[in-house]
Every structure is written in structure tokens, then in C-alpha cells.
Amino acid sequence: MASTEQLTFAIETFKRIHPVEFQRRFLSQDTRHDGRAFLQFRATHVVKGTIGTAQGSATVRIGNTTVVCGIKAEVSEPDVNTPDQGYLATNVDLSPICSANYRPGAPGDEAQVDSEHIFRLFGEVVDLKQLCIENDQAVWSLSADIVCLKSDGNVLDAAIIALMAAVEDLKLPQASLDPATGVVSADKAIETQLTLRKRLFPATFSLVDDAYLVADADDAEERLTTATLLVVFDDQGHLANVWKRGAGTIDRPTIARCIAEAKNRQNVVSSALE
């Protein structure tokens, strides 16, 4: 027993003192430190309706990474350029609560970039005209707060899946505008769900140590990542988005391989969303 404890202590010490070499020892043997194959994703779990005070919500776990999304709906005036359309705002929150890698205060670059990219992705999912209550008078404004509770790598995939699930869970009360008073009333007894244009299924791949391509990198692997590739398919089997980040180089054959693996990932994510 003592020898086993000593060995475990020695491994953990080596992992902390030489994290890069620790990962390389596994990768050079065609495996990963958690036992997964290079292109194997961690288990994905989705639970909808986890926030009782939100109009739509969901919690997603990918391995140890946990993200919760809540959508609040408020009545607002439409933009003069789009009088028959409502709003969808997305905000990704990466705080010290989820990882020591993040700092308190204003959103960092990663959170802002992720928020913007998710906003653009879901512009193809939600038909904002369905959020119109009265043309040129009143619309629904949806605020989606995507909060990472625990970060152990691949937060972006979890955030996209969480918002997808929360939008599917969204229920809006039937609203009407009184033309005499200009007051909007909502009947909570009658709720409607949005008809979405498509579903999105993300898959992220990372180039670790500039040499090894892995799917769904955890936090330890992300520290050695030189480039990442987000591949998103929709429920029609169409390629919806490819987004490369980082200074590392990902060649065309590797991109094609990632796209093929992301296509296989689609069924898993779809099942988790049911």
C-alpha cells in the first residue's frame, strides 16, 4: 500500500513540476493522460429547464466542464431598421469561480470573442421575426447568459450546446399590445416555443504541442495547444461553421479529418439534446 501511495505521489509531483513533459510521455505512446484515444470525446450530458426563474435554461457537462445557460425575456422597442424583429443577446461568463485561469472584473478577451462568435452562429438558428409582438411597437428581447461553472477544457462546445438546449427549452407567454394605452400584457397560461431554423452540433479539435491532433482537449491539454479548430454541423448535415484559432498551423488534410470526425460527433450531441 505504501509503495502504491508513493508511486501516486511521485506521478502527481512530476505532473505538477513538468506538465509539458508529463503530457508528452503519454502522447508519444499514442494515448492521452486520461486514457482516451486522440479523437475520442468525453461523455456529454444535457439537462434542460434547470433554472426555474428563466424562460429557457439548460446545463451541459462535457467531462468535468460544466456550463449553465439561462435566457430571460423582456419587452422592448424594436430597432427602427428592423421594426418586425426582436433581439437575441449572448454573454459568456468566464470567472475565477470556474477556473483560476480567469481573473475577476470585466470580461476577458476569450469571453468576449466567444460571446461574439456564438451570437453570429445563432443568428442562423433563431428567426428574430418570431419575437415580434406588435410591428414597430413592441418585441421580445432575449438575453442569454452562458455561465461556466467549472472549466476543464472545451468550454466553447459546452457553451454552444447549452445555448442550443436553452433555446429549445424557451417558452414565451402570449403577449399583446393594447393600442389605447400602449401597454403590453402577457398571458402566462398560454406559452409558445420558437420554431428554430436549425440545430447546431459543435466539435472542437486541438493541435497539442504543435504535433498531436486531439478532440475535446481538457484543461491540461489546452495549456499545450497551439491551435484549435471548431467545426459545427447543422441538423441537415450541412457544414455550418469552421473557426480556426491560435498561431499554430493546421493543414488541409487535417482540417478535412476534423470535419469528418465532427460529422460523426453530430449524432452523439443530437441524442444528448433530446
Side-chain angles (χ1 to χ4, degrees), residues 45-225:
H45 303 281
V46 179
V47 181
K48 297 179 181 178
T50 52
I51 304 176
T53 56
Q55 276 68 51
S57 62
T59 299
V60 172
R61 286 188 60 196
I62 300 179
N64 290 324
T65 293
T66 305
V67 173
V68 62
C69 177
I71 301 177
K72 295 292 289 183
E74 296 180 342
V75 176
S76 177
E77 292 184 1
D79 188 284
V80 292
N81 296 315
T82 53
D84 61 343
Q85 296 183 21
Y87 305 94
L88 172 63
T90 57
N91 176 61
V92 175
D93 184 4
L94 302 174
S95 72
I97 294 175
C98 70
S99 171
N101 296 330
Y102 304 114
R103 298 289 178 264
D109 291 342
E110 180 182 348
Q112 293 185 57
V113 171
D114 286 355
S115 296
E116 178 63 24
H117 194 75
I118 291 173
F119 171 76
R120 292 178 180 178
L121 278 176
F122 277 80
E124 299 297 322
V125 173
V126 178
D127 181 3
L128 298 180
K129 290 186 177 181
Q130 293 186 62
L131 301 178
C132 181
I133 299 172
E134 187 70 33
N135 192 11
D136 203 32
Q137 297 292 320
V139 297
W140 287 111
S141 177
L142 306 181
S143 298
D145 289 315
I146 307 166
V147 181
C148 182
L149 301 180
K150 182 174 178 57
S151 173
D152 187 28
N154 202 11
V155 172
L156 183 57
D157 275 16
I160 294 171
I161 296 171
L163 179 54
M164 190 73 249
V167 168
E168 291 183 344
D169 182 62
L170 178 69
K171 298 178 182 67
L172 294 174
Q174 181 173 294
S176 59
L177 176 72
D178 185 336
T181 62
V183 176
V184 174
S185 59
D187 184 357
K188 294 184 179 181
I190 305 175
E191 294 182 321
T192 59
Q193 291 184 284
L194 299 181
T195 300
L196 304 180
R197 290 169 171 164
K198 61 178 70 174
R199 268 179 152 188
L200 299 180
F201 309 108
T204 294
F205 303 85
S206 302
L207 190 63
V208 177
D209 204 21
D210 226 12
Y212 305 97
L213 181 70
V214 303
D216 182 25
D218 65 14
D219 181 65
E221 292 168 332
E222 283 190 343
R223 294 172 187 269
L224 305 180
T225 293

Side-chain angles (χ1 to χ4, degrees), residues 231-246:
V231 181
V232 183
F233 274 94
D234 64 23
D235 53 356
Q236 300 300 314
H238 299 143
L239 187 61
N241 182 249
V242 177
W243 185 30
K244 186 262 182 184
R245 293 168 289 166

Side-chain angles (χ1 to χ4, degrees), residues 1-13:
M1 180 64 70
S3 60
T4 301
E5 292 177 351
Q6 290 173 356
L7 179 60
T8 302
F9 177 76
I11 292 173
E12 289 299 321
T13 301

